[in-house]
């Protein structure tokens, strides 16, 4: 499968998973999760769903989301017409913290120059 098609599928998955988490999953920690992206393998076997959260411990939220993964896969199969539903796994997206750290380092460099 070409890269453009897998990116489009990943984008669709991210949008639908966001909706499922906010509207249908009964897990309280899932309400404070923001889906930031989804990478799907070329053969549609696996999908890595990246998220950030506002509340709760990262590991606790990951465990909670992975427990709900089967329900989410079932809901996705009802909403998206795809020949093979990938196995979903959730991963914390630490790019925000990484960006914050880079900003902090740049500010420190500017202060040293002054």
């Amino acid at each position: 499968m070409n890269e453009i098609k897998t990116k489009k599928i990943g984008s669709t998955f991210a949008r639908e998973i966001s909706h499922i988490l906010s509207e249908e999953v009964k897990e309280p920690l899932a309400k404070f999760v923001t889906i930031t992206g989804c990478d799907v393998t070329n053969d549609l076997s696996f999908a890595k769903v990246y998220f950030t959260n506002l509340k709760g411990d990262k590991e606790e939220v990951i465990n909670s989301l992975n427990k709900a993964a089967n329900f989410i896969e079932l809901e996705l199969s009802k909403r998206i017409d795809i020949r093979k539903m990938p196995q979903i796994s959730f991963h914390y997206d630490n790019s925000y913290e990484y960006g914050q750290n880079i900003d902090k380092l740049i500010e420190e460099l500017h202060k040293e120059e002054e």
Side-chain angles (χ1 to χ4, degrees):
M1 189 173 292
N2 68 22
E3 187 176 337
I4 294 171
K5 196 167 193 174
T6 56
K7 285 188 184 285
K8 188 174 180 181
I9 291 170
S11 174
T12 303
F13 274 23
R15 186 178 59 250
E16 289 299 325
I17 290 170
S18 292
H19 181 72
I20 291 168
L21 289 175
S22 66
E23 301 294 324
E24 298 180 28
V25 173
K26 292 180 174 60
E27 184 67 41
L29 290 176
K31 303 293 182 194
F32 299 101
V33 168
T34 302
I35 302 299
T36 58
C38 180
D39 291 334
V40 181
T41 59
N42 287 339
D43 62 353
L44 299 177
S45 298
F46 300 99
K48 286 185 178 181
V49 181
Y50 297 97
F51 73 94
T52 60
N53 67 317
L54 299 173
K55 231 179 192 182
D57 179 45
K58 284 190 274 190
E59 293 303 317
E60 188 178 339
V61 174
I62 288 173
N63 289 335
S64 174
L65 290 173
N66 283 326
K67 285 180 188 174
N70 288 336
F71 172 75
I72 294 169
E73 289 172 12
L74 179 65
E75 288 299 312
L76 282 175
S77 67
K78 293 176 186 175
R79 296 169 185 227
I80 300 172
D81 185 27
I82 192 168
R83 65 182 160 90
K84 181 179 179 183
M85 184 56 61
Q87 181 180 352
I88 295 174
S89 62
F90 289 91
H91 303 273
Y92 186 77
D93 184 1
N94 60 1
S95 61
Y96 179 74
E97 285 89 2
Y98 181 76
Q100 292 284 354
N101 190 30
I102 296 294
D103 286 343
K104 182 179 150 189
L105 292 172
I106 291 172
E107 284 179 24
E108 288 174 6
L109 285 174
H110 284 295
K111 285 180 183 177
E112 287 178 8
E113 288 179 358
E114 295 172 359

